[in-house]
Amino acid sequence: MTQPKVKDESDILADLIVKGMQEKKATDITVLNLKSLKNAVSDYFVICSANSDSQLDAIAKSVEEEVYKIAKEDPWQSEGRLNREWILLDYVSVVAHIFLKDKRQFYALEELWGDAQIKQIADQ
């Protein structure tokens, strides 16, 4: 008999970040599971796209609210709010990347971490 898989803190945090992104209609949400990669900077990257700079900011705020509401955690580091093209929310074990669509294509993080387990989240 197999034991059910227990989610660890980073699994739960990644799920909360996805939920926060979905609340503000983020598109192309992708979860990169980096746990099995040697020298990975975190357990997960959660990446999404926004259609405008105002949606970019709204998604970031929604992620922060969702994570704080359940996990009582604030990001350890936050970058990119001033340039409004790419916001990074670093929760250490999980890093959220919120891109304007053209910047996401330019940086192509999914390709940089091609060995990761990649999970696409269906748009709602």
Side-chain angles (χ1 to χ4, degrees):
M1 193 158 98
T2 60
Q3 295 290 330
K5 184 175 185 258
V6 177
K7 286 189 171 193
D8 66 21
E9 288 182 28
S10 63
D11 298 330
I12 294 166
L13 189 54
D15 290 344
L16 291 172
I17 288 170
V18 168
K19 185 176 178 189
M21 291 173 171
Q22 290 174 323
E23 289 290 323
K24 297 299 177 184
K25 309 290 188 236
T27 57
D28 301 321
I29 300 172
T30 304
V31 179
L32 303 179
N33 183 333
L34 307 171
K35 288 181 179 182
S36 64
L37 303 182
K38 187 176 181 180
N39 299 323
V41 295
S42 66
D43 288 349
Y44 290 97
F45 277 2
V46 183
I47 306 167
C48 74
S49 298
N51 294 314
S52 66
D53 58 354
S54 56
Q55 185 187 23
L56 183 87
D57 195 46
I59 293 167
K61 287 179 183 174
S62 178
V63 167
E64 289 173 322
E65 290 169 2
E66 194 64 38
V67 170
Y68 191 80
K69 181 172 62 176
I70 304 298
K72 303 293 186 241
E73 280 190 52
D74 287 318
W76 174 70
Q77 190 83 9
S78 177
E79 300 288 337
R81 290 191 189 270
L82 295 179
N83 71 8
R84 302 182 81 169
E85 294 178 342
W86 172 15
I87 296 177
L88 179 140
L89 301 173
D90 186 348
Y91 289 93
V92 182
S93 64
V94 183
V95 180
H97 299 269
I98 306 158
F99 285 99
L100 289 179
K101 287 186 180 197
D102 62 330
K103 293 299 175 187
R104 182 173 179 174
Q105 291 172 349
F106 178 78
Y107 287 104
L109 290 182
E110 293 94 332
E111 293 175 24
L112 290 175
W113 295 97
D115 292 343
Q117 294 176 352
I118 298 174
K119 178 180 174 186
Q120 296 293 134
I121 308 295
D123 291 344
Q124 292 183 333

